[in-house]
């Protein structure tokens, strides 16, 4: 009786590579959210510029202008940093064929949270006396 050699994967004890299928809905949804992400960054940055009006209250009291400037510029610049990180992470996840639609959504939520943090910093600068 003659036995043939087993396949290569049995001889080396390596499992067969698993090919992940790309999910079309994830790709489409991620692209749509990535198109909306710069618009959200623009809106968050524009809203950050309105924090400059907090200095109107400084006429009758002493304000910490350095702290107010830190809050203002962090509100203006941080959405663009979050945008860059969100785009890079989304593309990496799409290339690895993993779910990526949640990254732009999380980036939008982070932009909103950072605006509120910056507004709190500006508020601390106004109330400092």
């Amino acid at each position: 009786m003659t036995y043939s050699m087993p396949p290569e994967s049995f001889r080396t004890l390596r499992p067969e590579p698993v090919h992940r299928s790309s999910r079309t809905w994830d790709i489409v949804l991620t692209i749509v959210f990535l198109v909306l992400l710069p618009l959200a960054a623009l809106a968050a940055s524009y809203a950050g510029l309105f924090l400059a009006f907090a200095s109107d209250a400084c006429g009758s009291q002493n304000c910490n202008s350095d702290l107010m400037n830190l809050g203002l510029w962090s509100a203006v610049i941080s959405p663009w940093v979050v945008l860059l990180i969100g785009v890079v992470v989304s593309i990496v996840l799409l290339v690895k064929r993993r779910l990526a639609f949640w990254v732009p959504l999380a980036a939008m939520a982070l932009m909103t949270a950072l605006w509120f943090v910056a507004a709190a910093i500006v508020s601390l600068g106004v109330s400092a006396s």
Side-chain angles (χ1 to χ4, degrees):
M1 197 179 254
T2 321
Y3 295 105
S4 64
M5 293 292 291
E8 182 67 28
S9 62
F10 292 135
R11 282 187 276 156
T12 59
L13 299 176
R14 282 183 292 162
E16 292 288 328
V18 177
H19 295 290
R20 291 190 178 160
S21 63
S22 61
R23 296 179 185 105
T24 307
W25 64 269
D26 178 48
I27 295 171
V28 170
L29 205 55
T30 304
I31 290 172
V32 168
F33 288 151
L34 284 176
V35 168
L36 294 176
L37 194 58
L39 297 174
L42 183 65
S45 188
Y46 184 69
L49 289 174
F50 283 106
L51 293 176
F53 291 116
S55 66
D56 291 346
C58 294
S60 62
Q61 61 182 355
N62 252 348
C63 294
N64 188 348
S65 61
D66 292 335
L67 194 59
M68 290 174 62
N69 281 332
L70 174 70
L72 173 73
W73 286 109
S74 64
V76 171
I77 294 172
S78 65
W80 301 103
V81 174
V82 172
L83 168 76
L84 183 66
I85 293 170
V87 167
V88 169
V89 171
S90 294
I91 291 173
V92 167
L93 288 178
L94 283 175
V95 168
K96 289 185 173 186
R97 295 185 177 178
R98 305 227 175 160
L99 283 179
F101 76 93
W102 60 271
V103 175
L105 290 175
M108 288 180 203
L110 184 60
M111 285 178 194
T112 305
L114 287 175
W115 185 90
F116 281 108
V117 169
I121 292 171
V122 170
S123 171
L124 286 174
V126 170
S127 63
S129 33

